[in-house]
Amino acid sequence: MKKIHYLLILLSFIAIQPIAWCSDQAKEKRWSEQIVDSLLTGESAELEAKGAKFLGIYTEASNGPGERVIILLHGMGVHPDWPEVINPLRSELPEHQWSTLSIQMPILSNDAPLKDYTPLFEEAGPRIDAAVNFLKGKGHTKIVLSGHSLGAAMGAIYLAASKPKDIFGFVAIGLSVIELDEKMNAALALEKIEIPVLDLYGSRDLDGVLSSTQQRAKAARKAGNKYYRQTEIEGADHFFSGSEDILIKTVYGWLKRNFGPRNHK
């Protein structure tokens, strides 16, 4: 009986311990402090997922909050106001009547290999859930998810696993197929995603993005996703350097066609 009593106490102790997150919390804190101190567009928001607090940057549409909003997931090792891809989208889409919420994704040290990011995919889901709940609290009802690079892969895995009813579309920018682990494989995820998808990349993108275009399209066909569109931007690299205007125009055009005021899929 004493052994059983001891075991119950031990299990109770383990149950109340905080979750051991893999993300580099110290690095996240440094990013957050730097961003909040220099933020010019939008407002910072402290979000929380399973005991872990993380930064969000909410930027309201120029015509008011409305119903439409897009969640932005940055790429590997960076932050929610990264000057390439993320900042242009989060600061310019509000001028086209789309509010934005860019969130801090789980990150590792700069020298961490890609395979070490596998467990962070499981941490990404609760953060996206927290972002959705934050936006619903502001009255947003038409939520679209967008990710760049590793953030796009995390978004795809999340959508395939969760099939959330509150997210109506997905913009994947610079999406590659990571075959190191099934938990990171965006092609397998696309086989299960049925909401509208914009698979956007540059003609000068990374080899992993360019070499998997057919694989991604085939996966979407397997899902029977008639709302999947794959678009290449001529001359753009992985970070759309110098191609920010066409990036914003392309993303906004797709959003308008699928989720504009007269289109309520």
Side-chain angles (χ1 to χ4, degrees), residues 18 88 156 244:
E244 293 86 357

Short mmCIF file of all heavy atoms in Angstrom, two decimals, residues 18 88 156 244:
data_model
loop_
_atom_site.label_atom_id
_atom_site.label_comp_id
_atom_site.label_asym_id
_atom_site.label_seq_id
_atom_site.Cartn_x
_atom_site.Cartn_y
_atom_site.Cartn_z
N PRO A 18 5.33 22.03 -15.11
CA PRO A 18 5.15 22.75 -16.36
C PRO A 18 5.67 21.94 -17.54
O PRO A 18 6.59 21.15 -17.39
CB PRO A 18 5.98 24.03 -16.16
CG PRO A 18 6.96 23.69 -15.08
CD PRO A 18 6.25 22.72 -14.19
N PRO A 88 6.21 42.97 -44.62
CA PRO A 88 5.42 43.54 -45.72
C PRO A 88 3.97 43.08 -45.71
O PRO A 88 3.05 43.89 -45.92
CB PRO A 88 6.16 43.05 -46.97
CG PRO A 88 7.57 42.87 -46.52
CD PRO A 88 7.46 42.35 -45.11
N ALA A 156 0.79 23.80 -42.59
CA ALA A 156 0.20 22.68 -43.32
C ALA A 156 -0.01 21.48 -42.40
O ALA A 156 -1.08 20.85 -42.42
CB ALA A 156 1.10 22.30 -44.49
N GLU A 244 8.43 42.53 -53.10
CA GLU A 244 7.41 42.66 -52.06
C GLU A 244 6.06 43.12 -52.60
O GLU A 244 5.01 42.63 -52.18
CB GLU A 244 7.90 43.64 -50.97
CG GLU A 244 9.08 43.16 -50.17
CD GLU A 244 10.42 43.48 -50.82
OE1 GLU A 244 10.41 44.04 -51.95
OE2 GLU A 244 11.47 43.19 -50.20
#
